[in-house]
Amino acid sequence: MRYFLLMLFSLLQLTAISQSKVTGTFQVDLSGYYTKTQVDSIIKLSGGVITKPPVTLKPCRVSPVITRLISFSNQGAQLQFHGEGVESIQYEVWPVLSGTPVLVDSVSPKSNIIDLDFKKSVLPNGTYTLIIKGKSCLSDKPSEIQFQIKSDQGGTTTPPVIDKPDQPVPVNGTLNRLKTMTEGMDEHMKLAVRDSADVRIFTDLAPDRISPTHSYRYLVNGEIITQKNRLTNYMVSGNNPIRVVKVKLKDGIPSINQWGTQESDYQGGGYYQRDAGELFSYNTSFAFNTFVAPGQSDSKGFLNPILWNYNPDGRQISWPEIAPDMKLPAGKLWIDNWDGYTPELILSKGVTHLPHHWLPWNEADGNRQANALKQAGKTYNNVPRNEVIFKLSKLPPVVRSDGTVITDDYTGDGGTNKFWWPNGGFDKETAIRKADEADISDAIWIGETMENESWTPDYWDMHRHFYKRLRERYEDRFGKRGIPYEIVHNYYYLWPEPISLSRKRPASYFRDLLKRNPENLPSTPYSPGGTLASTTMVTEGIYLGAPDIQIGLIYETIFRFHINKILGLRSGVFLTGKHEYRPNNKYKYVYPEGEFYTDAKVPLDPNVHIAAGFIGQVYGNLVHEWGAPGKKSHKKFSHEWAKGLWFPNGSPFPQDEFPYYSYTNDYYAGFDGGADLTYFSQKLYNETFGQTDRGQTEYLSYKIDGTNWILPDQAYGQEIVSAYDQKRGFVYSQRKDGKIAWFYLNSYADNNWHKLEVRFPNGQTKTFKVSGNAIHARLDIE
């Protein structure tokens, strides 16, 4: 007889124990209980004679271990665990100093975060031990943690996070186990992956067909492969994150970007072509997968930014649950969302500023906590639009004599909307008055001023007077108290052609720019005396455009940071997990009843995401996680905003009546892993360059695969221009107090192993293995 309900019982449901044949003898596996008191109490609870049956369950590959108790109350708890091959977990609650459990139940985990239900035995005040062990497999021993209930009124108490020591992760040879972060439809791209020594081998098994006039274009991290047939036996080396994008592009088209995103792109012909790309089924532009390989770092190699216990299987933000406490160096700023957790928890993990919209507003106590965070300079203003910044009102609709109703008129200066700006920009006096009326309660001001209905050109003179007065107010509110503040006109800046590495100018021109004084740089609104000269920072949008035109994005960002420095401005990055391009790609979400696919933008390369967040602190001083809505306790999509394809189990065609729609404002917004990747970038920075902050910086000489040494130009950051021009990597270092932090980055690298030799300032040369376009970072002792 198979005893598949072993150990499932409680004080209220003793009948859940399976009964053997007709003898009335209960057969229960007590092997996991290692004290006689525990065994005797279970026998007493059973009300019958218990015999220990032969062990029929296989040992767990890795027994479940509690890594973090996230929250608890007298009615339930949420915890994080690590285990492998564990389909179901038994959990028990034991009062401390008692030999009798008050609750025994089980749960089948869908991710490494599980919710436990105590409602069968609501807990009174007291201290308890929570024990978990494998139910579908045999644990080598139970895992336990204590917690205390201080109120029996049913409210949830969130305790300090309780950390368990890091546990090693088994690896296959030198490779960590690959975890899927995002994926599309199998009929578009179905990747079979097998590991061999220190490489992964990818083959696309999708049944998709393609026109004779088009070819498949795959992007595997920074490498572009164009071919008539599907990807076969393609090798990716090492444990870097992986993104595979697949598109069907017309032969002879140099860039995916030529496939326009909207009807206006095709008007007048020219660059954009309607047939540059060919759609997959269900009106889909891209097939995609992103993967990560969580694991311990190799002391002889580079740090793995993906923590060993990270698991994206649940498709929910989870970095706060695995992040150790962390504090960034003074002056380094990190904006992130705390929704789903607590402000205290998020701030303890290294975040410095919380979004205004997600503050803990509580009118009953006068918004005490939210106002305290604002007063302490730990908040930011959530990119308000012009109508909020300037307190604008849109003019009422105009009804023409023929009955036509006009609500917008974009014939104003620069194409502005006359219904918002009937007379153009404000005069000097009005601009100053608007600055005096502006809400400066948040220490970080970042606007959304250059798009949407009420947008304004950045050259309008009103901005000169507005920001001059606004900065005076910020200095008075925050600067005089020694609290960092930033004023950013718009969350991205579209740099003009003379200051863009991607434009066709010789490298010598851009190297020369880095030597100039501010007044001799090409004119922009940020130039001395310009309309935006009184702002403090420029942020870069790390997501703009088609995937294949962004390969040099990190180099371009670092170059612009150097330009900002010349102009006396600080720099930051605005990070989101998706490209701003063709938002019609199917993300897969698995439910017990079937699969649901929502339309969204194609995911950003995780290596680019991590590199951007990393260099945002190394070369700048602000990283903003944008677009991640926070964690939900469910995966119910908005009925209004998240239409998709629902395939019930067994159905080859999409069906109506998706059972997981939300009809309220409490809805799940999907998952691209972006918030987790931003955290990994900040942790990687803090463990390397954060340890040598404000130290001596230097580009290091290196060579690849035994070729000639690359001797970097140290002056003015010109090495970045040379690396971009030559489509190669570079090595950057920072030394302080006997430690040297350094990294190697080659955004143009293929995915094969290469030998990297680096010459350090002390004359020593070291050799490493590198692969792909990821940040390779270390902290060494000189």
Side-chain angles (χ1 to χ4, degrees):
M1 178 178 180
R2 180 177 177 85
Y3 297 97
F4 62 93
L5 290 174
L6 300 179
M7 304 299 292
L8 179 57
F9 62 89
S10 69
L11 285 172
L12 301 179
Q13 292 185 315
L14 298 177
T15 57
I17 302 177
S18 298
Q19 200 166 11
S20 171
K21 298 182 181 178
V22 295
T23 63
T25 300
F26 291 97
Q27 292 196 356
V28 178
D29 179 7
L30 302 178
S31 60
Y33 296 89
Y34 46 92
T35 70
K36 183 177 184 300
T37 301
Q38 291 173 322
V39 173
D40 289 345
S41 67
I42 293 172
I43 292 174
K44 182 178 179 181
L45 277 171
S46 71
V49 178
I50 295 180
T51 63
K52 182 176 179 178
V55 175
T56 58
L57 296 178
K58 293 182 179 180
C60 305
R61 286 202 302 271
V62 177
S63 297
V65 175
I66 300 170
T67 58
R68 195 177 299 268
L69 184 58
I70 299 167
S71 64
F72 61 82
S73 72
N74 59 0
Q75 299 187 47
Q78 185 180 70
L79 62 81
Q80 178 192 7
F81 79 98
H82 175 64
E84 295 183 13
V86 185
E87 296 179 359
S88 60
I89 289 175
Q90 180 172 300
Y91 63 93
E92 304 153 18
V93 179
W94 295 70
V96 172
L97 304 179
S98 170
T100 303
V102 295
L103 179 67
V104 180
D105 211 329
S106 65
V107 63
S108 297
K110 302 299 183 184
S111 71
N112 65 338
I113 307 298
I114 53 178
D115 295 309
L116 309 181
D117 189 352
F118 298 165
K119 293 178 183 176
K120 294 177 181 178
S121 180
V122 176
L123 306 180
N125 290 350
T127 302
Y128 298 88
T129 300
L130 173 64
I131 297 175
I132 69 169
K133 59 175 290 187
K135 181 185 175 187
S136 58
C137 57
L138 291 177
S139 292
D140 50 11
K141 66 176 182 179
S143 176
E144 64 180 56
I145 198 167
Q146 286 191 353
F147 64 96
Q148 186 177 24
I149 296 296
K150 295 182 179 181
S151 171
D152 56 5
Q153 301 304 310
T156 298
T157 302
T158 302
V161 172
I162 304 171
D163 286 314
K164 287 283 185 179
D166 282 355
Q167 304 292 325
V169 175
V171 297
N172 175 19
T174 59
L175 294 178
N176 299 331
R177 190 165 286 109
L178 209 59
K179 304 291 292 184
T180 298
M181 179 174 283
T182 65
E183 59 185 319
M185 301 187 78
D186 286 348
E187 64 187 79
H188 300 159
M189 182 171 68
K190 183 176 178 61
L191 294 176
V193 187
R194 60 186 176 91
D195 294 350
S196 177
D198 56 0
V199 300
R200 307 183 198 275
I201 302 172
F202 287 77
T203 296
D204 181 7
L205 302 177
D208 174 70
R209 295 180 180 274
I210 191 169
S211 298
T213 55
H214 288 64
S215 296
Y216 291 114
R217 185 161 298 184
Y218 290 91
L219 282 72
V220 186
N221 294 345
E223 191 167 10
I224 300 175
I225 305 106
T226 302
Q227 58 191 39
K228 287 292 184 180
N229 300 317
R230 293 188 296 272
L231 200 68
T232 303
N233 293 332
Y234 179 86
M235 291 191 296
V236 179
S237 304
N239 286 312
N240 293 334
I242 300 169
R243 183 192 67 176
V244 182
V245 167
K246 175 185 179 183
V247 64
K248 296 185 286 189
L249 209 62
K250 184 180 178 182
D251 294 341
I253 297 294
S255 170
I256 298 169
N257 192 54
Q258 228 165 311
W259 192 16
T261 60
Q262 53 194 359
E263 184 65 26
S264 60
D265 290 339
Y266 304 117
Q267 295 174 2
Y271 177 77
Y272 293 106
Q273 298 184 30
R274 289 182 187 277
D275 62 349
E278 184 175 85
L279 293 170
F280 293 94
S281 61
Y282 302 108
N283 191 43
T284 301
S285 295
F286 292 100
F288 62 87
N289 265 125
T290 58
F291 306 90
V292 290
Q296 303 284 16
S297 298
D298 180 357
S299 61
K300 297 181 180 180
F302 297 96
L303 297 181
N304 186 350
I306 312 299
L307 289 183
W308 68 270
N309 52 351
Y310 176 60
N311 186 354
D313 287 352
R315 303 294 187 267
Q316 291 275 15
I317 292 166
S318 61
W319 71 266
E321 297 146 22
I322 60 175
D325 287 356
M326 181 175 81
K327 185 176 181 179
L328 295 178
K332 299 297 183 179
L333 312 177
W334 172 19
I335 302 169
D336 217 317
N337 191 353
W338 65 272
D339 187 30
Y341 302 98
T342 65
E344 294 83 2
L345 176 64
I346 298 300
L347 293 172
S348 73
K349 305 305 176 186
V351 172
T352 62
H353 290 77
L354 305 176
H356 168 92
H357 292 346
W358 296 107
L359 292 178
W361 299 109
N362 183 353
E363 294 184 6
D365 69 353
N367 298 318
R368 179 186 55 80
Q369 186 179 12
N371 289 330
L373 289 166
K374 283 176 171 281
Q375 180 66 14
K378 296 182 180 297
T379 66
Y380 113 100
N381 67 341
N382 270 101
V383 287
R385 297 180 181 179
N386 284 322
E387 58 262 36
V388 175
I389 293 172
F390 299 111
K391 298 180 173 60
L392 304 177
S393 296
K394 188 176 183 180
L395 295 178
V398 173
V399 182
R400 290 179 174 171
S401 58
D402 62 359
T404 303
V405 179
I406 306 299
T407 58
D408 293 293
D409 178 4
Y410 290 97
T411 62
D413 179 24
T416 53
N417 191 340
K418 289 186 176 181
F419 279 77
W420 286 105
W421 300 100
N423 303 307
F426 299 129
D427 58 26
K428 176 180 178 180
E429 291 72 20
T430 304
I432 293 173
R433 176 170 57 81
K434 291 291 185 179
D436 281 328
E437 296 172 352
D439 179 1
I440 63 163
S441 60
D442 302 294
I444 297 181
W445 169 297
I446 302 177
E448 184 180 344
T449 58
M450 298 177 66
E451 58 186 335
N452 296 299
E453 287 186 350
S454 63
W455 82 279
T456 60
D458 52 17
Y459 58 75
W460 273 7
D461 194 61
M462 74 174 194
H463 297 306
R464 181 193 324 277
H465 311 295
F466 177 82
Y467 285 117
K468 182 177 183 297
R469 176 57 184 145
L470 191 75
R471 186 162 177 176
E472 291 170 352
R473 293 185 64 206
Y474 260 87
E475 182 63 27
D476 187 59
R477 174 172 169 78
F478 295 108
K480 290 182 178 179
R481 292 189 287 137
I483 295 175
Y485 67 87
E486 299 293 352
I487 302 173
V488 181
H489 175 63
N490 193 64
Y491 68 95
Y492 65 86
Y493 181 56
L494 298 177
W495 289 84
E497 181 268 341
I499 313 181
S500 292
L501 290 180
S502 57
R503 306 303 174 92
K504 301 300 181 182
R505 288 176 179 262
S508 58
Y509 165 81
F510 293 109
R511 282 194 286 265
D512 176 67
L513 285 187
L514 294 173
K515 303 175 186 177
R516 298 185 185 182
N517 294 323
E519 59 273 13
N520 295 324
L521 286 171
S523 179
T524 74
Y526 294 101
S527 299
T531 54
L532 302 181
S534 291
T535 59
T536 66
M537 173 182 281
V538 181
T539 54
E540 292 290 318
I542 310 294
Y543 57 92
L544 302 176
D548 63 341
I549 64 171
Q550 289 193 308
I551 292 178
L553 175 68
I554 301 301
Y555 299 69
E556 182 95 62
T557 300
I558 296 171
F559 170 75
R560 290 167 176 173
F561 280 16
H562 281 292
I563 295 294
N564 292 338
K565 188 173 182 179
I566 294 173
L567 292 170
L569 297 164
R570 290 182 285 274
S571 301
V573 296
F574 220 75
L575 270 170
T576 191
K578 300 183 180 76
H579 289 274
E580 189 70 22
Y581 187 78
R582 302 195 74 86
N584 61 328
N585 309 288
K586 307 296 185 290
Y587 282 67
K588 178 194 290 186
Y589 297 92
V590 178
Y591 295 84
E593 301 88 345
E595 295 177 351
F596 186 62
Y597 296 85
T598 59
D599 279 358
K601 300 165 187 174
V602 68
L604 201 66
D605 179 348
N607 296 294
V608 172
H609 195 122
I610 291 172
F614 182 84
I615 64 101
Q617 299 292 16
V618 171
Y619 291 91
N621 72 301
L622 181 143
V623 172
H624 183 312
E625 164 55 41
W626 175 250
K631 183 174 181 176
K632 292 292 182 183
S633 61
H634 58 76
K635 287 193 292 186
K636 294 184 177 181
F637 284 93
S638 168
H639 182 266
E640 182 180 3
W641 301 109
K643 300 297 185 182
L645 301 174
W646 168 238
F647 290 84
N649 291 330
S651 173
F653 304 107
Q655 305 292 323
D656 295 331
E657 299 181 0
F658 173 53
Y660 289 91
Y661 273 134
S662 170
Y663 293 85
T664 71
N665 288 329
D666 178 23
Y667 58 82
Y668 173 67
F671 177 78
D672 58 26
D676 297 328
L677 294 171
T678 297
Y679 162 69
F680 294 136
S681 76
Q682 299 307 281
K683 184 173 186 294
L684 183 64
Y685 162 77
N686 209 48
E687 291 178 346
T688 54
F689 282 71
Q691 304 302 307
T692 58
D693 183 53
R694 294 177 173 82
Q696 180 179 349
T697 61
E698 183 177 350
Y699 288 94
L700 303 183
S701 300
Y702 77 95
K703 63 179 177 178
I704 290 288
D705 295 337
T707 56
N708 295 331
W709 285 95
I710 301 294
L711 305 177
D713 189 336
Q714 301 293 341
Y716 310 104
Q718 295 182 72
E719 169 66 358
I720 294 299
V721 176
S722 298
Y724 181 90
D725 180 61
Q726 299 165 26
K727 303 296 183 284
R728 62 166 172 83
F730 62 95
V731 181
Y732 187 62
S733 70
Q734 182 173 261
R735 291 181 289 154
K736 185 178 180 181
D737 299 333
K739 295 180 288 189
I740 180 169
W742 64 278
F743 72 86
Y744 169 77
L745 174 68
N746 184 358
S747 293
Y748 301 93
D750 59 28
N751 292 298
N752 300 320
W753 282 119
H754 295 278
K755 177 184 176 182
L756 170 71
E757 296 174 72
V758 179
R759 184 176 294 150
F760 291 87
N762 61 9
Q764 185 180 14
T765 299
K766 293 184 179 181
T767 302
F768 301 88
K769 289 172 64 177
V770 293
S771 172
N773 64 335
I775 282 281
H776 297 75
R778 283 180 60 89
L779 179 69
D780 287 314
I781 304 299
E782 285 198 287

